[in-house]
Amino acid sequence: MAAYLIRRLWQMIPTLIGVVLLVFFLFKYFGGDPAEILGGLNATPEQIESIRDQLGLNEPVWQQLAIFFKQIVTFDWGKSWATNESVANLFASRLPATLTVMIPILILEVVLAIPLALLVAYKRGTLTDRSIMIISTVALSISLLVYVIVFQYVFAFQLGWFPVQGWSDSFWTNLTVYSVLPVMVVTLVALAPQTRLYRSFFLDEIGQDYVRTARAKGLTEKTILLKHVLRNAMIPILTNVAVALPGIFVGSFLIEVFFSIPGLGREVLLAVNRSDYPVIQAVTIYIAVITMTVNLLTDVLYKMVDPRVVLK
């Protein structure tokens, strides 16, 4: 296992270098002139040139690239062009709010989708199975914005159970008051596709020979599903969770805007609108690192779930 981890970590280095080069040259040659963006429409050529000197944009390309690599290694991304706040401090102050919303969403998606999918797989072909699949199909056809509007209107305006917007300095208050409604919205939106997907995983396993053998031995359907089918279906489920994790992070951007949550997602959208390159570059690199790390952890979990898996 140790040798595998070292080998995978070593393989991540060229991948990360490729991402860094891609991000650097995309922003360098296709992102527009940062000096003109910061200077505005009324800036004089002298002012624009002064901004370029301050940002180091007049330095040779190799030197700018070296500075970019140094920022990544030292986690010092400089300051936001829009707010003049340190990018590192911006991330540190906004990330807790994002995690307060993201982590419950990830946990609830898995905890609710797996038993629900197992139930419909067990009840396959029955009215329960068809009803849940029809509901899931309809739910998939509705936009996230519709869910947000309906939930805010019903649970916030009409019933008054949750605030529409807001955030506080208390973690517990944020978790139990302000994050409940956005977590409910995203969880229910994600539950429909996850249930359909996990159901297909379980049905694939139910059709295997080992299930027929277990039934021939007299094992109960409950034992077969929980002890054999669920365990063997965990490999594709873990794969799906690993693939969806960066998507949940990106999806939180819209939720934070809709519910005015002062998280990293909302800050990124503001940075995009302001062409705040230091923030955008930092987020892009961090998402790439998170994706590679999650993939590595998923491979390790494969081995833990199924000892027959050979890590090469």
Side-chain angles (χ1 to χ4, degrees), residues 52-111:
R52 292 180 63 84
D53 288 334
Q54 293 174 10
L55 297 178
L57 298 177
N58 289 327
E59 302 293 338
V61 174
W62 66 266
Q63 190 169 345
Q64 296 181 43
L65 183 59
I67 294 173
F68 189 39
F69 272 104
K70 181 181 178 181
Q71 291 175 336
I72 296 172
V73 174
T74 60
F75 300 100
D76 182 9
W77 299 91
K79 294 184 178 181
S80 165
W81 293 350
T83 63
N84 204 34
E85 179 183 359
S86 168
V87 175
N89 292 336
L90 187 148
F91 273 60
S93 61
R94 308 298 195 276
L95 187 59
T98 298
L99 294 179
T100 303
V101 178
M102 280 179 52
I103 293 178
I105 290 173
L106 180 63
I107 294 174
L108 288 174
E109 278 187 18
V110 176
V111 170

Side-chain angles (χ1 to χ4, degrees), residues 32-302:
D33 189 347
E36 293 182 358
I37 295 173
L38 290 175
L41 298 176
N42 297 323
T44 62
E46 292 77 13
Q47 291 173 330
I48 292 177
E49 191 64 24
S50 175
I51 295 174
R52 292 180 63 84
D53 288 334
Q54 293 174 10
L55 297 178
L57 298 177
N58 289 327
E59 302 293 338
V61 174
W62 66 266
Q63 190 169 345
Q64 296 181 43
L65 183 59
I67 294 173
F68 189 39
F69 272 104
K70 181 181 178 181
Q71 291 175 336
I72 296 172
V73 174
T74 60
F75 300 100
D76 182 9
W77 299 91
K79 294 184 178 181
S80 165
W81 293 350
T83 63
N84 204 34
E85 179 183 359
S86 168
V87 175
N89 292 336
L90 187 148
F91 273 60
S93 61
R94 308 298 195 276
L95 187 59
T98 298
L99 294 179
T100 303
V101 178
M102 280 179 52
I103 293 178
I105 290 173
L106 180 63
I107 294 174
L108 288 174
E109 278 187 18
V110 176
V111 170
L112 295 178
I114 289 179
L116 185 58
L118 200 60
L119 172 64
V120 295
Y122 174 68
K123 298 284 188 179
R124 62 191 180 281
T126 64
L127 179 61
T128 301
D129 180 23
R130 293 193 182 96
S131 299
I132 293 178
M133 287 300 98
I134 291 173
I135 293 173
S136 298
T137 303
V138 173
L140 281 168
S141 306
I142 302 175
S143 169
L144 172 63
L145 182 58
V146 175
Y147 283 100
V148 171
I149 295 173
V150 171
F151 272 67
Q152 285 184 340
Y153 179 77
V154 174
F155 293 103
F157 289 111
Q158 294 296 321
L159 299 178
W161 291 356
F162 309 105
V164 178
Q165 299 175 340
W167 206 251
S168 72
D169 296 328
S170 170
F171 167 76
W172 184 250
T173 302
N174 294 332
L175 184 63
T176 58
V177 178
Y178 294 110
S179 69
V180 176
L181 192 56
V183 168
M184 285 174 54
V185 172
V186 179
T187 301
L188 289 177
V189 169
L191 195 58
Q194 301 289 17
T195 301
R196 290 174 59 90
L197 183 61
Y198 295 168
R199 173 183 177 271
S200 67
F201 294 157
F202 292 136
L203 289 179
D204 287 341
E205 293 299 326
I206 290 174
Q208 298 297 321
D209 292 338
Y210 73 86
V211 174
R212 288 191 288 270
T213 302
R215 286 172 179 159
K217 290 181 177 180
L219 295 180
T220 63
E221 198 71 17
K222 180 180 178 181
T223 302
I224 294 173
L225 289 174
L226 297 179
K227 188 175 181 180
H228 299 286
V229 172
L230 178 59
R231 182 176 181 179
N232 286 304
M234 284 305 296
I235 297 295
I237 289 176
L238 286 173
T239 303
N240 179 70
V241 173
V243 172
L245 186 58
I248 294 175
F249 180 80
V250 175
S252 68
F253 295 0
L254 297 177
I255 291 297
E256 290 176 10
V257 172
F258 291 146
F259 290 92
S260 295
I261 298 173
L264 189 58
R266 190 179 68 165
E267 198 65 38
V268 170
L269 287 180
L270 292 175
V272 172
N273 292 331
R274 299 165 177 167
S275 297
D276 197 345
Y277 289 172
V279 177
I280 301 172
Q281 288 176 333
V283 170
T284 305
I285 298 299
Y286 282 145
I287 290 179
V289 172
I290 290 172
T291 303
M292 291 187 291
T293 304
V294 168
N295 290 337
L296 176 58
L297 294 176
T298 303
D299 289 342
V300 175
L301 288 175
Y302 287 164

Side-chain angles (χ1 to χ4, degrees), residues 10-38:
W10 180 256
Q11 292 172 353
M12 288 169 60
I13 295 176
T15 304
L16 182 59
I17 291 175
V19 172
V20 170
L21 292 175
L22 180 63
V23 171
F24 176 80
F25 286 108
L26 281 177
F27 280 94
K28 176 70 177 176
Y29 295 105
F30 300 100
D33 189 347
E36 293 182 358
I37 295 173
L38 290 175

